[in-house]
Amino acid sequence: MEFCNCIEPPWPADELLMKYQYISDFFIALAYFSIPLELIYFVKKSAVFPYRWVLVQFGAFIVLCGATHLINLWTFTLHTRTVAIVMTTSKILTAVVSCATALMLVHIIPDLLSVKTRELFLKNKAAELDKEMGLIRTQEETGRHVRMLTHEIRSTLDRHTILKTTLVELGRTLGLEECALWMPTRTGLELQLSYTLRHQNPVEFTVPIQLPVINQVFNTSRAVTISPNSPVARLRPAGKYMPGDVVAVRVPLLHLSNFQIHDWPELSTKRFALMVLVLPSDSARQWHVHELELVEVVADQVAVALSHAAILEESMRARDLLMEQNVALDRARREAETAVRARNDFLAVMNHEMRTPMHAIIALSSLLQETELMPEQRLMVETILKSSNLLATLINDVLDLSRLEDGSLQLEIGNFSLHSLFKEALNLIKPIASVKKLYVTLSMSPDLPEYAVGDEKRLLQVLLNVVGNAVKFTKEGGISISAFVAKSDSVRDPQAPDFFPIPSDNHFYLRVEVKDTGAGINPQDIPKLFMKFVQSQPLAAKNSGGSGLGLAICKRFVNLMEGHIWIESEGLGRGTKAIFIVKLGIVGRSNESKLPFLHKSPGNTGKPNFAGLKVIVMDDNSVGRMVTKGLLTHLGFDVLAVASGDECVRVVTHEHKVVFLDVNIPGFDSFEVAVRIREKFSKRPERPIIIALTGNTDRMTKESCLRVGMDGVLLKPVSVDKMRSVLSDLLEHGYLVESQ
Amino acid sequence: MLGLSVDRLRADMNRLLALLFHQGVLDEQFLQLQQLQDESSPNFVSEVVNIYFHESEKLVDKEFSDYKKMGVHLNQFMGSSSSIGAQRVRNVCVAFRAASEQNNRPGCLRALELLEYEYCYLKNKLHELFQIEQQRILAAAVRYPVVQQQLQQHPNNA
């Protein structure tokens, strides 16, 4: 036999079996080669496959297995050694790779399996989320409905519209068959059907408020299901159909007082309305939780909207009331103004028109008195004089009173002797008292100063009035007048406890008490005494000649003198005591007087010396300028007359004592000139006195002049005497004590 | 004879003045003016009155179309008139001003007419017054030497 170096197959070649093995090996190889191809193909197709390395390994493993089986095909027949070697190599390789693969798969397969569990988990989660989203969606729907409803409800402030809209919107949103609102009646004992959805004109239906079902609803803030047969739910005539489910909720009726600041409205209010909602009958619908929540929220919103509407109604009512009051006040003010104007007109008339003839009568009758008369004629003339004097006094009194009330009365302060004042009063009253056979005593305390500073004329008037009243109302006995300095511990008026006379270095308080043994006054009438035009004794009216003004005027004068006047009486028949306290200046201490005797009468020591004093007159009217210059020259001044404000400011120097400015010039601000003059001399202590000359008598001009810094105002036309007295006052005191 | 004429002239002047006061043409301010006349300014009153007439010519002859300017002049005139005591003239001025403030043209025209009338009357009367005054001064000046001579004679004869 030849040595072919071949290897014999281990078993004998059986033709059929071999053939089948040959074919199977072939197909296995084919399959083994095609699997990786398929894998690669599909993996290339898919986007993500994380295990490429494994795939490569697996592919290698399969390819080698296939190769092995393929090479096996050649080993069925006689084959060379090379084939055997190739076969062996491939088998070894296959063994290596397949072991590696097996090891790798131990790691991979649990991972692959867990993918499946993850997938299951995610599917469950998705199902859950779907459910939740469904819930949220329904809630959002509900919220949207509520917002829309609220918007509808709150977009109006009319109570009726609010309620109607609520019912309509609720009905629409929830698809209700019927919706109704029961409001409490005025008495609060019943609920009345006020609004319904379907019925346009609800019958006046009431149910008592104390029903158990109603209490049940009112006691909770939640929507409560109630039976369709309860009286509040029987809104429709009973039909054949099964009524749907009914729910009721309370609507609190809030007041403004329920809204505390920073707090939610307190629900301590007891007033509720009832809202009843009926589902459509025969629909088998049920009330869902979210629908109930919707109803509760709407009920709250309605409560707030209703309270807003109520507040608005109230404020509108208040505003209407205020407008009415405004109109009434306006009317009253206009009436008051008319009255004041009428009074002023009347006073103006009285002032001039009545005084003039009065003075004529008095002057002429006194002249007549001095001529030769028969006794009867003399008597007649005396009567005429007396009556006209009384009338003149009355006119003066009324005028004084109105000027006092106006506030335009000013006291004429001067030095006077207290002793002579009291003596004069005594002398005036003694004759009348002695006619009535009354005694009059005067006691003046030794610590009273001899002289005082004050308004002598008006003080005398007050004293005379008080003493005169005492004499008038006393039939027997007498009057005692006592005057002394008021101390802080003196007896005070019980009705004016806060009047304290506190003396100071410059002032003292004079206290005068006038006691009489007359008819006395009922203590109840005492407050009325000081009121104008009130007479408290109608019986004595025939003999009393007063107009009822006296005490009122006295009170005002005393008040002007910063004092107090009052009357004490223990009752009818027990006499009266009138007390007044006034503030007077001490002579020599105050800075208003330098000399003890300074009377206001002109022509005191002859012509005051104006020689050589320099003054300036500013007036753009040449006639006026010349007249004023002539006047001042006549008095002895050295006058410089200028026609314009600029020139005036330019030529004024510290040598000029007085500057007269005419303030009637239109389009010309004399006030500005005054200001500029003051500015020019602001640094120097000596500046000229500035006087305004004006034809306007009203207060406005005077006030404007004084406000701008002028030292005084003179009314044109000025007489020589007036100019002389004013200027002597001015240059002596440095300011005008009295400016008219 | 001359002495009598001085007295008669003075009486005439007083009578004229009394008439003017009674008619309300002049008021106390004129008296004040007269008081200011003394040795240092013997012609004070006539000077003032002349200035017054001089100033007023400007107003009375003016055409008026502008109410505001009218008002300004009126104020001046009113001031001057009250300074010398021309009461009636001043009152007419007041009425004139009221009419011009209301833009009441017929009222203004009426007031202007009245003003001219009053002004002319015043002017005439014052001229008359001054004439009498002048005559009196002349007569008085002439009188003095006669009186002095008489006085000088008397002590010698006494």
Side-chain angles (χ1 to χ4, degrees):
Chain A
M1 303 280 273
E2 271 139 50
F3 199 62
C4 57
N5 208 14
C6 318
I7 299 191
E8 287 209 6
W11 44 86
D14 200 12
E15 289 294 333
L16 198 63
L17 283 174
M18 266 190 11
K19 215 182 263 182
Y20 281 131
Q21 275 199 1
Y22 193 84
I23 295 171
S24 323
D25 267 333
F26 177 71
F27 274 113
I28 288 172
L30 196 62
Y32 273 171
F33 280 134
S34 63
I35 287 177
L37 287 178
E38 284 171 15
L39 270 177
I40 290 172
Y41 176 71
F42 282 116
V43 165
K44 266 228 156 72
K45 271 280 179 107
S46 88
V48 48
F49 192 75
Y51 302 117
R52 286 191 194 249
W53 177 243
V54 170
L55 201 63
V56 166
Q57 237 176 3
F58 206 62
F61 161 63
I62 290 188
V63 163
L64 282 173
C65 275
T68 311
H69 280 282
L70 191 66
I71 296 174
N72 221 11
L73 291 174
W74 274 270
T75 58
F76 288 115
T77 52
L78 226 56
H79 49 272
T80 58
R81 194 168 189 91
T82 347
V83 173
I85 292 175
V86 168
M87 178 78 201
T88 321
T89 333
S90 74
K91 265 212 179 128
I92 293 170
L93 275 178
T94 311
V96 165
V97 171
S98 53
C99 285
T101 313
L103 282 175
M104 188 75 45
L105 279 178
V106 169
H107 295 288
I108 303 281
I109 292 196
D111 256 356
L112 289 177
L113 282 181
S114 76
V115 165
K116 199 66 191 169
T117 49
R118 259 208 294 252
E119 192 194 315
L120 213 62
F121 175 67
L122 281 172
K123 225 191 267 176
N124 284 343
K125 254 294 190 251
E128 243 179 64
L129 282 173
D130 263 338
K131 222 180 351 180
E132 249 173 60
M133 204 170 77
L135 252 166
I136 290 176
R137 204 178 282 138
T138 46
Q139 271 183 355
E140 202 256 325
E141 279 260 328
T142 314
R144 205 156 35 84
H145 279 141
V146 168
R147 267 198 301 280
M148 183 195 51
L149 257 166
T150 312
H151 176 75
E152 291 290 324
I153 291 170
R154 299 278 287 269
S155 67
T156 166
L157 283 173
D158 174 34
R159 170 191 286 260
H160 185 74
T161 323
I162 289 174
L163 293 171
K164 249 329 199 179
T165 319
T166 314
L167 298 184
V168 165
E169 292 296 327
L170 265 182
R172 208 156 45 94
T173 312
L174 299 173
L176 301 172
E177 176 179 358
E178 184 58 88
C179 188
L181 189 72
W182 298 78
M183 303 277 280
T185 56
R186 224 165 245 300
T187 57
L189 297 173
E190 294 180 323
L191 281 182
Q192 188 181 32
L193 182 62
S194 314
Y195 300 92
T196 53
L197 184 55
R198 308 286 174 199
H199 297 167
Q200 287 310 315
N201 296 321
V203 171
E204 294 291 316
F205 224 173
T206 59
V207 293
I209 210 170
Q210 292 302 332
L211 288 182
V213 59
I214 297 180
N215 278 339
Q216 183 196 8
V217 177
F218 279 177
N219 280 337
T220 167
S221 63
R222 310 197 56 104
V224 173
T225 321
I226 60 176
S227 149
N229 292 326
S230 60
V232 289
R234 256 189 270 127
L235 300 164
R236 293 208 155 179
K240 298 179 274 175
Y241 303 100
M242 271 281 286
D245 274 354
V246 180
V247 138
V249 69
R250 74 176 185 186
V251 180
L253 296 173
L254 301 165
H255 291 288
L256 186 57
S257 51
N258 292 125
F259 286 91
Q260 313 286 333
I261 309 176
H262 305 313
D263 279 346
W264 190 246
E266 288 280 315
L267 287 182
S268 55
T269 169
K270 291 285 184 281
R271 290 188 75 217
F272 296 108
L274 189 75
M275 191 150 59
V276 173
L277 306 109
V278 181
L279 284 179
S281 44
D282 277 2
S283 69
R285 254 182 68 186
Q286 295 253 317
W287 282 100
H288 296 167
V289 172
H290 70 268
E291 286 171 345
L292 292 180
E293 280 172 4
L294 181 97
V295 167
E296 285 157 25
V297 168
V298 167
D300 274 336
Q301 290 298 319
V302 166
V304 171
L306 280 178
S307 64
H308 284 184
I311 291 171
L312 179 75
E313 268 173 33
E314 241 180 77
S315 73
M316 300 276 290
R317 219 164 359 110
R319 189 198 66 166
D320 285 338
L321 199 65
L322 275 174
M323 272 175 55
E324 266 177 42
Q325 279 181 345
N326 254 1
V327 166
L329 276 172
D330 210 20
R331 202 182 14 199
R333 181 181 59 97
R334 260 178 289 132
E335 282 175 13
E337 276 177 10
T338 324
V340 165
R341 242 180 314 181
R343 187 200 71 169
N344 286 344
D345 287 341
F346 166 70
L347 281 177
V349 164
M350 263 208 128
N351 194 6
H352 185 68
E353 304 294 336
M354 283 180 78
R355 267 193 169 146
T356 319
M358 207 64 250
H359 288 154
I361 295 175
I362 292 177
L364 292 173
S365 341
S366 35
L367 276 178
L368 193 60
Q369 239 184 357
E370 290 172 14
T371 62
E372 293 264 343
L373 290 173
M374 295 203 302
E376 304 97 40
Q377 287 175 327
R378 188 164 290 276
L379 203 61
M380 288 184 222
V381 171
E382 275 173 6
T383 316
I384 294 175
L385 248 185
K386 226 186 306 192
S387 319
S388 31
N389 270 330
L390 273 171
L391 195 56
T393 316
L394 177 65
I395 295 175
N396 284 339
D397 273 357
V398 171
L399 266 150
D400 265 351
L401 191 62
S402 49
R403 267 200 302 159
L404 277 171
E405 292 189 337
D406 223 1
S408 61
L409 189 84
Q410 281 173 325
L411 292 176
E412 297 164 17
I413 309 286
N415 288 25
F416 62 93
S417 158
L418 274 175
H419 282 261
S420 49
L421 181 109
F422 280 99
K423 282 225 174 43
E424 197 176 330
L426 206 64
N427 289 339
L428 282 168
I429 211 68
K430 262 218 167 85
I432 308 176
S434 57
V435 162
K436 289 177 94 170
K437 302 222 180 5
L438 304 168
Y439 65 82
V440 181
T441 65
L442 168 68
S443 77
M444 296 182 60
S445 109
D447 59 355
L448 264 185
E450 206 178 317
Y451 294 99
V453 181
D455 190 337
E456 179 184 15
K457 189 174 89 168
R458 304 245 164 77
L459 186 58
L460 183 62
Q461 196 173 345
V462 169
L463 183 62
L464 274 178
N465 205 304
V466 170
V467 172
N469 275 347
V471 168
K472 211 191 298 180
F473 293 116
T474 307
K475 293 219 178 64
E476 55 190 8
I479 322 281
S480 61
I481 310 171
S482 45
F484 42 91
V485 176
K487 312 260 188 311
S488 329
D489 52 356
S490 328
V491 175
R492 293 199 288 274
D493 179 16
Q495 286 165 4
D498 27 297
F499 175 70
F500 292 102
I502 302 173
S504 70
D505 274 341
N506 291 336
H507 298 104
F508 72 100
Y509 283 86
L510 168 73
R511 183 182 166 116
V512 176
E513 296 184 0
V514 177
K515 206 178 347 202
D516 71 50
T517 58
I521 304 176
N522 203 334
Q524 291 168 342
D525 288 337
I526 289 185
K528 282 197 278 184
L529 284 169
F530 292 101
M531 283 164 48
K532 302 183 284 190
F533 304 123
V534 171
Q535 298 248 41
S536 59
Q537 295 180 321
L539 295 170
K542 255 209 291 199
N543 292 333
S544 72
S547 59
L549 279 180
L551 276 179
I553 293 185
C554 286
K555 188 176 165 86
R556 282 175 177 76
F557 279 144
V558 167
N559 283 342
L560 266 182
M561 295 186 205
E562 298 177 50
H564 191 57
I565 178 170
W566 72 99
I567 293 190
E568 291 171 7
S569 169
E570 290 169 29
L572 290 169
R574 305 267 190 88
T576 326
K577 186 154 106 170
I579 307 166
F580 66 89
I581 302 180
V582 292
K583 185 175 175 186
L584 297 173
I586 300 179
V587 171
R589 309 263 194 95
S590 61
N591 53 7
E592 277 190 31
S593 63
K594 297 190 179 66
L595 309 163
F597 289 101
L598 198 92
H599 293 286
K600 274 275 152 260
S601 56
N604 186 14
T605 46
K607 205 170 168 178
N609 192 9
F610 295 137
L613 288 179
K614 293 196 177 185
V615 299
I616 295 186
V617 169
M618 186 203 85
D619 189 343
D620 77 330
N621 184 328
S622 29
V623 174
R625 197 166 56 232
M626 192 165 167
V627 171
T628 315
K629 177 172 173 173
L631 185 65
L632 292 166
T633 316
H634 181 76
L635 288 173
F637 289 98
D638 176 2
V639 186
L640 175 64
V642 297
S644 75
D646 291 330
E647 204 182 328
C648 183
V649 177
R650 206 181 39 231
V651 301
V652 71
T653 66
H654 65 277
E655 288 176 344
H656 293 107
K657 288 274 174 237
V658 189
V659 176
F660 290 90
L661 299 177
D662 187 286
V663 291
N664 277 347
I665 307 168
F668 204 93
D669 206 353
S670 314
F671 300 134
E672 195 196 309
V673 176
V675 170
R676 279 162 68 187
I677 293 179
R678 279 182 83 109
E679 276 173 17
K680 188 167 172 179
F681 290 90
S682 59
K683 301 184 198 70
R684 290 162 172 271
E686 284 283 318
R687 89 171 154 75
I689 300 167
I690 305 179
I691 305 283
L693 291 168
T694 171
N696 277 344
T697 57
D698 62 2
R699 238 207 238 167
M700 277 288 292
T701 317
K702 185 169 160 192
E703 279 176 3
S704 324
C705 292
L706 293 175
R707 208 192 355 224
V708 141
M710 303 205 190
D711 299 297
V713 179
L714 277 182
L715 190 60
K716 284 207 294 194
V718 192
S719 69
V720 178
D721 287 331
K722 179 134 188 87
M723 185 66 95
R724 186 188 294 129
S725 72
V726 162
L727 282 173
S728 58
D729 264 346
L730 213 70
L731 294 168
E732 196 156 354
H733 300 144
Y735 59 90
L736 266 182
V737 174
E738 168 191 271
S739 61
Q740 184 227 335
Chain B
M1 279 283 286
L2 291 168
L4 277 175
S5 75
V6 168
D7 288 330
R8 199 192 63 219
L9 283 171
R10 194 182 292 132
D12 279 342
M13 208 171 76
N14 286 340
R15 209 178 315 125
L16 179 57
L17 269 178
L19 176 69
L20 289 175
F21 280 119
H22 181 72
Q23 287 177 334
V25 174
L26 294 176
D27 62 17
E28 302 127 9
Q29 181 63 10
F30 194 73
L31 285 177
Q32 293 284 333
L33 277 186
Q34 287 192 322
Q35 272 193 31
L36 296 178
Q37 184 161 292
D38 52 18
E39 300 85 45
S40 56
S41 45
N43 298 324
F44 183 67
V45 182
S46 52
E47 280 171 15
V48 173
V49 172
N50 280 334
I51 294 184
Y52 171 70
F53 285 139
H54 188 65
E55 291 274 324
S56 332
E57 296 301 323
K58 294 192 219 157
L59 173 72
V60 182
D61 288 342
K62 244 195 200 336
E63 281 283 317
F64 74 99
S65 51
D66 181 359
Y67 287 113
K68 221 190 248 178
K69 248 197 290 187
M70 213 59 202
V72 169
H73 287 304
L74 261 178
N75 276 335
Q76 288 244 353
F77 196 30
M78 225 164 71
S80 324
S81 306
S82 46
S83 296
I84 73 161
Q87 192 184 37
R88 279 233 287 242
V89 172
R90 192 197 70 217
N91 291 344
V92 176
C93 286
V94 168
F96 197 157
R97 187 169 70 171
S100 80
E101 269 169 18
Q102 292 161 10
N103 287 352
N104 173 6
R105 200 180 164 87
C108 284
L109 284 170
R110 250 199 316 269
L112 185 62
E113 231 177 83
L114 195 59
L115 188 67
E116 281 179 7
Y117 169 73
E118 288 294 336
Y119 178 69
C120 287
Y121 183 74
L122 178 74
K123 198 160 158 183
N124 288 339
K125 288 294 173 209
L126 284 177
H127 274 315
E128 208 180 301
L129 200 69
F130 290 141
Q131 267 180 351
I132 304 179
E133 175 81 22
Q134 293 274 17
Q135 283 178 359
R136 187 181 68 82
I137 290 176
L138 277 174
V142 167
R143 199 181 88 162
Y144 282 155
V146 172
V147 170
Q148 273 182 354
Q149 276 170 15
Q150 282 177 353
L151 280 175
Q152 272 168 5
Q153 279 168 18
H154 278 236
N156 288 344
N157 290 346

